[in-house]
Amino acid sequence: MEKRYHCPVELAVDVIGGRWRPVILAHLKEGAHRYGELRRRMPHVSEKMLIQRLRELEADGLVSRHDHGTVPPHVSYSLTEEGLSLAPVLQALYDWGADRAARTGTPVS
C-alpha cells in the first residue's frame, strides 16, 4: 500500500528527516565526498549509521554512489538532480542554525 501524506511538510520530513540525513545532504551540497571525508566531517556518527543513511539516501534517489573501480576502493558520493533540488532548503536550515547559534551563544564548529 502506498504511503499517504496529509501535508507536504510531512512528506519532506519523511524523506530528509532524522538526525544525520540533513547533515549528510548539507555536506554533499558542497560537492562530491569520499566516505572517509564524510566520516571526518561528522565525527559523532558511527560507521554503521553513516553507511545506513547513505544507503537510504541512495535508495530515495537523493544521493548517488560512484565506485571508481580502483584498488584500494575509491568510492565517492554526490547529490543527484533530486538531491540538488534540496539546496535552497538545506541553505535555509544552515542559515537558521547559524543565526540560532549566534542568538543563543551555542558553539558551532
Side-chain angles (χ1 to χ4, degrees):
M1 182 174 189
E2 187 174 309
K3 189 166 185 178
R4 186 169 184 81
Y5 296 97
H6 301 285
C7 174
V9 173
E10 184 182 1
L11 170 62
V13 170
D14 194 33
V15 174
I16 67 166
R19 180 173 183 184
W20 297 114
R21 284 173 148 232
V23 177
I24 294 167
L25 293 167
H27 287 305
L28 293 178
K29 181 175 78 67
E30 300 168 4
H33 289 295
R34 292 183 66 180
Y35 173 81
E37 293 173 318
L38 289 171
R39 280 284 290 140
R40 283 189 292 280
R41 289 173 172 255
M42 301 170 61
H44 298 293
V45 66
S46 69
E47 280 190 48
K48 178 184 175 191
M49 184 63 65
L50 180 56
I51 290 167
Q52 282 180 329
R53 296 303 166 253
L54 284 166
R55 286 181 180 156
E56 290 169 0
L57 290 166
E58 187 179 6
D60 287 339
L62 300 177
V63 168
S64 61
R65 179 182 186 271
H66 307 282
D67 185 343
H68 299 274
T70 60
V71 176
H74 178 128
V75 176
S76 61
Y77 295 90
S78 61
L79 294 179
T80 62
E81 285 296 318
E82 185 73 9
L84 286 169
S85 72
L86 285 167
V89 174
L90 296 167
Q91 188 63 50
L93 283 171
Y94 179 92
D95 293 343
W96 185 88
D99 291 346
R100 168 83 177 171
R103 284 191 306 273
T104 62
T106 305
V108 178
S109 54

